[in-house]
Amino acid sequence: MTAIGFEKHDHSHCIADALSAAETRCKAQKLQFTPARRRVLEILLERHRAMGAYEILDILAAEGLGSQPPVAYRALDFLVKNGFAHRIERLNAYAACTHPGEQHVPAFLICRSCKAVAETETGLDSGRLGAAARDTGFVIEKVVVEAEGLCPGCAEAAA
Amino acid sequence: MTAIGFEKHDHSHCIADALSAAETRCKAQKLQFTPARRRVLEILLERHRAMGAYEILDILAAEGLGSQPPVAYRALDFLVKNGFAHRIERLNAYAACTHPGEQHVPAFLICRSCKAVAETETGLDSGRLGAAARDTGFVIEKVVVEAEGLCPGCAEAAA
DNA sequence: CATCACATGTTATAAGATAACGTTCGAGGC
DNA sequence: GCCTCGAACGTTATCTTATAACATGTGATG
Ligand SMILES: [Zn+2]
Ligand SMILES: [Zn+2]
Ligand SMILES: [Zn+2]
Ligand SMILES: [Zn+2]
């Protein structure tokens, strides 16, 4: 039982499921799901939270999968580029995507107290931002939407 | 004439206006608008774009206003905390607020080609994100909305 | 087997940010 | 006038995050 998107759930299987789904998709798209890449995704899925590159690197190093920064950054670049994980700008951290494969614009709810991160989604033309872009002629290619605040649990504890 | 929000305008006066407005507000709110803080805001207004802390520090250093990182970071912290400037997560950079004093949630349009940054605004409950937060009981305190793409000028040049 | 693309190993360094500690200086109380 | 306090500042050192650059391995293709 781990907090995911602020809800509890038994996810003894969902790591394996997500990994095998990733494996399948990599095969289909001729992407190389190498041991380091696979292990980094697995780490993100296990922890089910945002993790810094160096935090991940520490784990890889302890397991003999490499000890230099590029090892972690290369794996993360691969995962992010191919939609298996997201970078969370606000935290300089990374988290496994909760609905990989589907085309989507992720948005995050970040608890400033317990550091939990939930992924939800938004549109590329997120409300007024899209309107502003259309007004000015700006062509949006990517949108970062990250909210910071208190998750249900921490909000209750604080009240 | 400088690009502001992707439009051209003569802003020979707007720097001075913004500075005196800041001065007035600081006086009213008993905030100390010290030389370093004032100069950093002025630098951001002059350049009218997002600038890194070290880029600003270089200028301060050349002018004898201090040469160590905390000098720049302290001034920027003050400006951001009090709404005179914004931090742009995606760029690890800072920009003067284009409508200080007014309570608002800034959103940015960032040109990946020419690096221009335009500030617009959005709501705290930005569309689907707000809905997701309400569904889960998450309490949003702050929202980061940053879009990356091509400004009108660069989009045209690329077409 | 030659070649090419891609992944990896490794070293070094760049870029961004903060911790910590002492000093200065002005406003408000005595 | 003097004391005291807090906010700002000066300075040193260090920490975190990220990338440049170059050498090496390896599997697919023709
Ligand atoms: Zn996702
Ligand atoms: Zn929480
Ligand atoms: Zn603003
Ligand atoms: Zn542009």
Side-chain angles (χ1 to χ4, degrees):
Chain A
M1 300 285 245
T2 316
I4 299 181
F6 313 141
E7 297 131 41
K8 305 285 186 188
H9 84 293
D10 169 0
H11 83 229
S12 44
H13 292 145
C14 78
I15 296 173
D17 288 354
L19 275 178
S20 73
E23 203 143 349
T24 302
R25 184 149 71 87
C26 284
K27 204 159 276 177
Q29 301 182 201
K30 297 207 195 308
L31 300 172
Q32 297 187 49
F33 201 44
T34 63
R37 291 169 177 182
R38 183 194 166 90
R39 182 61 186 131
V40 170
L41 178 57
E42 189 176 28
I43 289 168
L44 290 174
L45 288 164
E46 284 171 354
R47 306 302 191 282
H48 230 299
R49 59 184 176 79
M51 299 180 72
Y54 281 76
E55 190 183 356
I56 292 167
L57 181 58
D58 285 346
I59 297 171
L60 293 179
E63 297 174 353
L65 282 169
S67 61
Q68 300 308 313
V71 172
Y73 282 102
R74 283 166 178 163
L76 287 168
D77 285 350
F78 170 86
L79 294 173
V80 169
K81 180 154 48 150
N82 298 108
F84 297 112
H86 297 293
R87 172 176 168 82
I88 299 175
E89 299 292 339
R90 179 70 194 214
L91 304 176
N92 292 329
Y94 304 81
C97 177
T98 59
H99 36 274
E102 303 160 42
Q103 171 69 26
H104 67 289
V105 178
F108 300 94
L109 298 173
I110 305 165
C111 178
R112 69 168 157 81
S113 172
C114 71
K115 309 299 176 195
V117 174
E119 179 181 346
T120 172
E121 70 177 287
T122 180
L124 242 201
D125 57 341
S126 193
R128 276 190 265 182
L129 182 65
R134 280 186 295 279
D135 284 354
T136 58
F138 188 92
V139 181
I140 294 180
E141 292 171 345
K142 156 162 192 178
V143 177
V144 172
V145 179
E146 299 174 4
E148 200 165 2
L150 289 176
C151 73
C154 293
E156 191 173 356
Chain B
M1 301 286 242
T2 316
I4 298 180
F6 312 142
E7 296 130 43
K8 305 285 184 188
H9 84 294
D10 169 359
H11 81 234
S12 42
H13 293 144
C14 77
I15 295 174
D17 289 355
L19 275 178
S20 73
E23 203 144 347
T24 301
R25 183 149 72 88
C26 283
K27 206 158 275 177
Q29 302 182 200
K30 297 205 196 304
L31 300 172
Q32 298 186 49
F33 201 44
T34 63
R37 292 168 177 181
R38 183 194 165 90
R39 182 62 186 130
V40 169
L41 178 57
E42 189 176 26
I43 288 168
L44 290 174
L45 287 165
E46 283 171 355
R47 306 303 191 278
H48 230 301
R49 59 184 175 80
M51 299 180 73
Y54 281 76
E55 190 183 354
I56 291 167
L57 181 58
D58 285 346
I59 297 172
L60 294 178
E63 298 174 354
L65 282 170
S67 62
Q68 299 308 315
V71 172
Y73 282 103
R74 284 167 180 164
L76 287 167
D77 284 350
F78 170 87
L79 296 173
V80 169
K81 181 154 47 146
N82 295 294
F84 297 111
H86 297 294
R87 171 176 167 83
I88 298 175
E89 299 292 339
R90 182 66 196 238
L91 303 176
N92 292 330
Y94 304 81
C97 178
T98 58
H99 36 275
E102 302 161 43
Q103 171 68 26
H104 67 288
V105 179
F108 299 94
L109 298 173
I110 305 164
C111 179
R112 68 167 156 81
S113 172
C114 69
K115 309 299 178 196
V117 174
E119 178 181 346
T120 172
E121 70 177 287
T122 181
L124 243 200
D125 58 340
S126 193
R128 277 190 264 184
L129 182 65
R134 280 187 294 279
D135 284 355
T136 58
F138 187 92
V139 181
I140 294 179
E141 292 171 344
K142 154 161 194 177
V143 176
V144 173
V145 179
E146 299 174 4
E148 200 166 3
L150 289 176
C151 73
C154 293
E156 192 174 354

